[in-house]
Amino acid sequence: MLAEETTLGERIEMARSARGLSNSQLARRIGVKPHTLQNWESDKTEPRSNKLVALSGILGVPPMWLLEGGSAPIEAVTHTQFHETADLESKLARLQKMHERQDNL
């Protein structure tokens, strides 16, 4: 399916999947409930402009692509970016565990 033939919700879902993010992971990063993101992806509702910009940044796609489609920027979501994100998430999880251990002392 070409990006021009997809809806906003389908493009959000495509970009999220390309980044290897679950619905709840992306929702947490954007600061919305998973149900809200699910409504966007199913085209029941649309994100406000500030959330659209946040989606764009997190997913690594231009905001206009999310809105209108066009040439597929999904290729812009590189394997390297995914691994860098996973690495940062791993480091953050380790820091949170260290902080919890420190609180328990």
Side-chain angles (χ1 to χ4, degrees):
M1 182 180 302
L2 298 174
E4 305 87 40
E5 300 169 348
T6 59
T7 65
L8 170 62
E10 290 168 334
R11 288 187 294 276
I12 293 170
E13 185 176 9
M14 283 172 33
R16 177 181 58 76
S17 294
R19 286 299 301 243
L21 296 171
S22 70
N23 179 288
S24 58
Q25 288 172 321
L26 180 57
R28 184 173 15 98
R29 288 185 182 187
I30 298 169
V32 298
K33 294 181 180 181
H35 182 71
T36 300
L37 180 59
Q38 188 176 32
N39 283 341
W40 295 345
E41 289 185 351
S42 62
D43 292 306
K44 291 180 183 173
T45 60
E46 292 183 352
R48 292 182 181 203
S49 60
N50 63 326
K51 298 299 182 184
L52 185 76
V53 171
L55 278 167
S56 160
I58 293 166
L59 297 173
V61 296
M64 290 309 295
W65 180 83
L66 285 174
L67 286 172
E68 299 176 353
S71 60
I74 295 301
E75 290 81 30
V77 178
T78 65
H79 197 62
T80 303
Q81 288 172 320
F82 174 75
H83 285 293
E84 287 173 358
T85 301
D87 184 48
L88 287 173
E89 287 176 343
S90 171
K91 289 176 182 175
L92 178 59
R94 285 195 321 245
L95 283 171
Q96 288 172 331
K97 286 179 185 176
M98 289 170 57
H99 182 68
E100 289 170 6
R101 282 189 292 229
Q102 188 72 24
D103 286 344
N104 292 331
L105 293 178

